Every structure is written in C-alpha cells, then in structure tokens.
Amino acid sequence: MEITEVRVFPVANEERLKAYATITVDNVFLIRDLRVINGNTGLFVAMPSRKMKDGTFKDIAHPLNSDTRQMIEKKVLAEYERELANPTKRPERPDGAADASQG
C-alpha cells in the first residue's frame, strides 16, 4: 500500500484542530476528513469518525496496524508542515465540510 497523494487544509482560529487532510491510496482509494490535532504530546493524525447516538465517536476508517498508522501520520504531518511553510492558494473548507472539488 502506498499513499500517492496528500492534501492538507489548515484550519484557522482553533486551539487543538490544526487541519483537515485527504489522502489517496494507490491512486485508487480516497479517504477524507483525517484531522491534524495538537495533542498533549504534539501533533497527531486522527482518523475520520462519526458521532454515535450515545455521544461517543467511532472511526469510519482506520489502519489495522501501527506500521500503517505511522506511515499515514508521517506523510500527513510532513504535508502539513509543507503547507504551513508555503501555503497554497485554495479556499478554506467551511466548518469541516468535505472538499467538493474531489470526487
């Protein structure tokens, strides 16, 4: 498995949520709404999730092993750092809505 594209959408004026991300796997599978979070020990990538009726959150998609999680996190955080250093000119995603230009 290879992550063939990473797109990062920084979020302004949020303390913990720093960005949303979209990844493409093997040029054939898209995963949206990963989140770059500023946690207690630094930045990490949270998988897309859905709020359940009881108020808890359940991942919609997630890696099944730590090697895959680390690979995703490494690529997303590297792209996040690149985006901060050299922002692209694209509109911000309104309140976490999916990127309508894809798919």
Side-chain angles (χ1 to χ4, degrees):
M1 181 184 95
E2 182 183 348
I3 296 176
T4 51
E5 184 181 14
V6 178
R7 296 186 71 197
V8 172
F9 307 90
V11 175
N13 303 324
E14 290 284 337
E15 187 175 328
R16 293 179 66 91
L17 175 64
K18 297 302 180 185
Y20 287 97
T22 297
I23 62 172
T24 304
V25 178
D26 294 334
N27 288 315
V28 297
F29 194 78
L30 185 76
I31 303 172
R32 292 185 171 133
D33 292 333
L34 287 86
R35 295 174 320 278
V36 177
I37 306 289
N38 187 13
N40 295 334
T41 59
L43 294 174
F44 70 94
V45 176
M47 295 297 124
S49 61
R50 172 177 292 151
K51 190 172 185 177
M52 306 307 288
K53 288 182 180 180
D54 66 1
T56 61
F57 288 86
K58 185 168 186 139
D59 284 351
I60 295 169
H62 60 89
L64 296 180
N65 60 55
S66 61
D67 289 340
T68 304
R69 180 176 297 277
Q70 289 172 358
M71 185 229 346
I72 292 170
E73 191 163 272
K74 181 179 176 182
K75 292 214 175 200
V76 170
L77 292 179
E79 185 61 26
Y80 173 70
E81 294 297 333
R82 269 194 291 280
E83 183 68 26
L84 288 183
N86 188 15
T88 57
K89 302 290 188 256
R90 65 175 158 240
E92 266 191 49
R93 293 170 39 145
D95 58 79
D99 179 20
S101 67
Q102 295 183 19

